[in-house]
Each structure stands twice: as C-alpha cells, then as structure tokens.
Amino acid sequence: MNLKAGLWQQQTLKLTMTQELTQAIALLQYNTQELSAFLESKALENPLMQIEASPAQAADSRFDRMKPSKQKLDDNKQDWIEQIGSKNHTTLQEYLHSQLAIAELNHMEYKLISYLIGCLDENGYLQTDIQTVAEKFYVSEEDMNEALIEIQSLEPAGVAARDLQECLWLQLERLHPYNEIAEKVISDYFLLFADKKWKEIAKNLKVELKEIQEVFDLVQTLNPRPAAAFQNELAPYITPEVVIQWEDGTFSVSIYDDVLPKIRFNESYFRKFQADGDQEVNRFLQEKKTDFHWIARSIEQRKETLLKVALKIVEKQPEYFWKGPNYLQPMTMKEIADELEIHESTVSRAVREKYAQTPFGTIELRSFFSSTIKTTSFENTSSEQAKNAISDMVKGEDKKKPLSDQVIVKRLEEEKGIVISRRTVAKYRDQLKIPSSSKRKRYE
C-alpha cells in the first residue's frame, strides 16, 4: 500500500442537488393545498411574482358576494350538515357552563369545576390528575372528587371520564332500565371483555354467553368520544387534480389546475426599478426574476409529470375504468417508472396525496398501485382483489361460526384461484380492520 503524500488528478461524475432541483422535487410532491401555500409564501418574498385568483376561486368569490347578508335555513333549504363548524358553534366548555347556571354552587366549587372543565380534551376526557389539582387549590381530594362528580352528571353522558372504562360506565349508569350485568362487566371485567374472553366472564358471573353478547351489543351503542360532536372543524374537501372521463369512445385524461393560484411576472415593477441603474437593485431583480422562472418551469414540469403518470395508469388499468374497482390489476410504481423512463421515486412523488376524478368516484392515485399475487391459473392478481375477496367472505359468513384465517386461505384458492399464506390473510384482515374469527363470533 502506497501511503506517500502527493497530488493526483481524478475525474468523477456526480449529481449535485442544487437549490432549484430541490425546489422542483418539492413542487412535484406537493398536493393542491401545499402548492397553493408555497406559491403564496413565495409571492410575499418575491415582488416580481404576482398571484392571480384561479377561475375556481374567482367563481367562489362572486358567489359569496351574491349571497344575501341574512339567510334563513328554511328559506334556502340548506342541508343541515353545511352548518357544522359555523362561527356560532357552541363549544363543549360553553355547553357545560350553561348547565351549571342552574346549580347551587359556592364560589370555590364553581372555581374548581371551571378549572376541571378547562382540562377536558376534544373528546371530553379529563386530562389532569385530581390530586395535583387539589394541591394547586389547597383543597382536599374529596372536594375535588365532588367537583368531578358534578361535571360527570352533566350532558353529554360520559363527559369528564378519565379513561374509556369510566366513560362507558358513566353512560351505562344513566340507562333505563338499569342493566346490572353490563355495569358489572364494565366495572369488574373490562379487560377480559375487551379481549373477548367472554367464557371466563360468563363463568364468573354465572350467566350464559348470550347475555355477555347482549352486553357487547349494548356497549356498541355507547359513545367512546362523548364530546366529538362539539369539535369545531370543517370536514376537509378533496379536490382531484386529475380528471379521467369517457369521451367519444375512449378515456380522456386531463389535469384540473383551476383551483391553483396563477402566477404572473410583474413586468412593470421590473422595468421601473431596472431603469434606476443601481447595481444592487439590478442584482436583486435578476435573482428574483430567475427564481420566478424556476418556479414557473417547475409547476409546468409537475403538471407534465402528473399527466404522464395518469395516462400510463389508465393505459395499464383498462378493466378498472371499464368495470370498476374489483378489476384492479397488479401494478407497481417501478413498472410505470421504467415505461416512462423516469425514477421510481419520481412516480411516488407525483402520486403523493393526489386524487383522480373517475367514473367510479374520486380515487387516490396511490391506490392504483398494488403488489402481485400468484393464482392457480398462472395469471397474476392484485392485493386489492384479494382484500375485496376476503371482505366479501367475512360479510357472508355465519357469525356463529366465523371463518378462520386458514379456512379463508383454502376458500380463496378453491373459489378465486388466489394463492396466499395464512399470515398474508391475517395482514390483509388487519388492514381491512376485520377482527379475528374469535372476536367476530356471536353467541346467539
């Protein structure tokens, strides 16, 4: 080995991640909301970039101006769900305080109760320790417990519980007629009940399994998140960026970018300050002009890449768009990348959190990709088809004798020609949020 010091020339080829390249990659993976926020942020720091309202946004603005200042729900026949999340929405804390108005409380009691109400999370659970609060206000734990009981007597039932077990028990306590078995199960055998070890519970309580099943059915009607209705959040609306529709005997693919803000170069600003002849100002203007053109090119490249990927998806999934989701064929991102001669990570970024409007509804682009599964006919099927088959089998099973994973494996091969292992069935079942056969069994 030669360890002598010296000078050598070496030629290497490497890709340097410039700021512009990093920006182009980031823009590709942004969804509509993220890209809009990015452009608005860039416009604040670049005086040469002007944001123009998109046609969709302009239409919304015109619609808003046309609305009457006062509207009556009955007159306009608005759907009640449109009122969720309005500014006059009552909070959980306000609702609880309104019920305290008729209670006879002294100053300290009201103070303790108000503090505990402020410690409730968005689901209505108490997120503090009673002993800690007692020490904070120099009162006894008994006083704090009385304050807690006062809150737990209010609506909604189950509010101010410290855990799920207490939440369910508080709701059972108010039921009429009184259900002694249900209260006993939740208070004394909660973990066994949750693990569906019902035979042990039935033996200890000296009751039939059918009665434990009835307790389970009753608990299913209770609310594990008693304050969820008070969450003042509007439901997120998904805006598809790709539109796939049937036109003139074939499927057409287009990019819907009307919801995106449009950027325009501020030529008048550029010429005005360039005319001053100040070198520093000119350097700044050139820098911002270059930045603007990089962003404009990156947006156009993002659109082109997304369109190419969407076209290739339609090309490789004809049966899906003809017949529906049950006919999704196995397809990987690598296949698309190889055919488009781009990197697999580019495909992954292009479909990230982006949706397509299809004849079968709004579909996430990522959901078109699935792994390949062998079949007895030597043809390939997709993991989505296997999941659909498992879901259909479970829906049609005898709930008194639910199908085990091994039985599902056998039926998939015999009836559908799909060959997968028991472990894979268990994995797909978990992804579908289907419990095991022992937890699906009914005793009636």
Side-chain angles (χ1 to χ4, degrees):
M1 182 180 292
N2 186 3
L3 299 178
K4 292 181 180 180
L7 295 174
W8 289 273
Q9 275 190 335
Q10 184 177 2
Q11 189 176 24
T12 59
L13 182 66
K14 65 178 181 178
L15 177 65
T16 303
M17 287 289 286
T18 63
Q19 183 179 353
E20 290 81 5
L21 182 57
T22 303
Q23 180 176 273
I25 291 173
L27 261 62
L28 178 61
Q29 67 181 358
Y30 284 163
N31 59 29
T32 302
Q33 292 79 11
E34 290 169 338
L35 183 55
S36 297
F38 170 82
L39 294 176
E40 289 168 4
S41 173
K42 277 292 183 181
L44 292 175
E45 64 182 56
N46 189 345
L48 299 181
M49 183 187 294
Q50 282 189 316
I51 296 288
E52 295 180 345
S54 66
Q57 290 171 325
D60 288 343
S61 299
R62 287 194 298 273
F63 178 74
D64 289 339
R65 287 196 294 273
M66 291 167 62
K67 287 182 180 178
S69 58
K70 293 183 180 180
Q71 300 179 1
K72 290 184 179 180
L73 184 62
D74 293 337
D75 292 343
N76 290 329
K77 297 181 180 180
Q78 291 174 300
D79 193 332
W80 67 270
I81 201 168
E82 295 295 335
Q83 307 305 311
I84 296 176
S86 58
K87 291 182 179 179
N88 60 352
H89 186 83
T90 302
T91 66
L92 171 65
Q93 287 71 24
E94 290 171 342
Y95 184 60
L96 294 174
H97 277 291
S98 69
Q99 297 175 67
L100 291 174
I102 60 174
E104 296 182 359
L105 304 170
N106 60 41
H107 176 72
M108 179 52 74
E109 288 172 338
Y110 189 83
K111 189 175 181 179
L112 297 177
I113 291 172
S114 295
Y115 183 84
L116 291 179
I117 287 176
C119 295
L120 301 179
D121 66 13
E122 67 273 10
N123 294 318
Y125 286 84
L126 185 66
Q127 296 297 315
T128 189
D129 180 62
I130 290 294
Q131 183 178 356
T132 302
V133 181
E135 293 172 357
K136 177 182 177 68
F137 288 97
Y138 302 102
V139 296
S140 66
E141 284 191 49
E142 184 180 352
D143 290 335
M144 287 309 309
N145 281 319
E146 288 180 3
L148 179 60
I149 290 171
E150 184 68 38
I151 301 174
Q152 291 177 342
S153 68
L154 305 176
E155 293 291 341
V159 73
R162 285 158 287 192
D163 53 39
L164 177 60
Q165 182 179 9
E166 185 176 24
C167 179
L168 298 176
W169 186 86
L170 288 169
Q171 294 176 64
L172 288 171
E173 192 181 32
R174 298 194 192 185
L175 291 181
H176 297 288
Y178 172 72
N179 193 316
E180 183 180 0
I181 295 177
E183 283 200 26
K184 193 73 174 172
V185 167
I186 295 302
S187 62
D188 297 346
Y189 302 98
F190 182 70
L191 293 179
L192 289 175
F193 181 70
D195 289 337
K196 218 161 186 181
K197 296 179 179 178
W198 294 355
K199 291 181 179 179
E200 186 176 341
I201 300 173
K203 181 180 179 181
N204 290 339
L205 293 179
K206 296 181 174 58
V207 296
E208 295 181 5
L209 272 172
K210 180 181 177 181
E211 294 180 81
I212 306 299
Q213 178 73 66
E214 290 171 353
V215 172
F216 176 80
D217 293 340
L218 175 61
V219 169
Q220 293 294 99
T221 67
L222 304 179
N223 189 354
R225 301 169 60 217
F230 292 88
Q231 292 184 26
N232 189 16
E233 291 183 5
L234 289 171
Y237 288 88
I238 293 173
T239 303
E241 292 195 47
V242 178
V243 178
I244 302 169
Q245 55 188 351
W246 180 255
E247 283 184 354
D248 301 326
T250 186
F251 282 103
S252 68
V253 181
S254 59
I255 301 299
Y256 180 70
D257 57 358
D258 285 354
V259 292
L260 286 174
K262 308 303 177 185
I263 61 172
R264 185 175 68 83
F265 186 71
N266 193 337
E267 187 69 34
S268 60
Y269 185 99
F270 179 76
R271 292 185 180 279
K272 176 182 177 181
F273 286 94
Q274 188 184 43
D276 291 344
D278 186 295
Q279 279 191 331
E280 288 296 324
V281 172
N282 282 338
R283 189 179 297 113
F284 173 81
L285 291 174
Q286 289 301 327
E287 179 186 321
K288 295 305 177 184
K289 182 179 180 180
T290 301
D291 188 43
F292 170 84
H293 287 303
W294 261 106
I295 291 174
R297 281 197 294 269
S298 297
I299 291 174
E300 192 60 31
Q301 188 176 8
R302 172 187 182 274
K303 182 177 178 179
E304 290 175 5
T305 304
L306 183 56
L307 181 60
K308 286 179 182 177
V309 171
L311 281 167
K312 188 58 67 172
I313 289 174
V314 174
E315 178 187 319
K316 294 183 73 65
Q317 296 286 357
E319 288 199 10
Y320 176 95
F321 294 101
W322 273 109
K323 302 177 182 178
N326 288 337
Y327 293 87
L328 184 69
Q329 297 300 310
M331 180 178 69
T332 64
M333 291 185 186
K334 189 176 187 309
E335 290 177 41
I336 299 292
D338 289 344
E339 293 192 23
L340 294 177
E341 297 183 347
I342 57 179
H343 198 274
E344 186 179 346
S345 64
T346 301
V347 177
S348 178
R349 291 187 180 97
V351 301
R352 173 191 171 271
E353 293 186 18
K354 297 180 184 71
Y355 293 79
Q357 181 63 47
T358 76
F360 301 99
T362 302
I363 310 295
E364 187 177 11
L365 287 176
R366 189 176 288 274
S367 67
F368 286 106
F369 299 94
S370 59
S371 55
T372 302
I373 294 176
K374 293 180 180 179
T375 66
T376 54
S377 60
F378 300 102
E379 295 180 357
N380 290 331
T381 189
S382 70
S383 57
E384 288 301 315
Q385 289 175 314
K387 288 178 185 178
N388 290 335
I390 292 170
S391 180
D392 291 341
M393 285 183 185
V394 171
K395 286 177 184 176
E397 71 183 358
D398 181 356
K399 298 305 177 183
K400 294 180 182 178
K401 296 179 180 179
L403 303 174
S404 68
D405 291 345
Q406 192 58 51
V407 171
I408 292 176
V409 167
K410 187 177 180 181
R411 284 187 57 179
L412 281 173
E413 184 172 352
E414 292 176 350
E415 299 174 15
K416 305 291 183 179
I418 298 173
V419 182
I420 55 177
S421 67
R422 185 194 61 78
R423 183 177 296 180
T424 302
V425 167
K427 182 180 75 171
Y428 288 168
R429 183 170 48 72
D430 287 341
Q431 291 173 356
L432 293 167
K433 297 187 179 355
I434 297 174
S436 63
S437 58
S438 62
K439 292 185 178 180
R440 298 199 308 272
K441 187 174 182 179
R442 294 189 64 86
Y443 298 91
E444 59 178 19

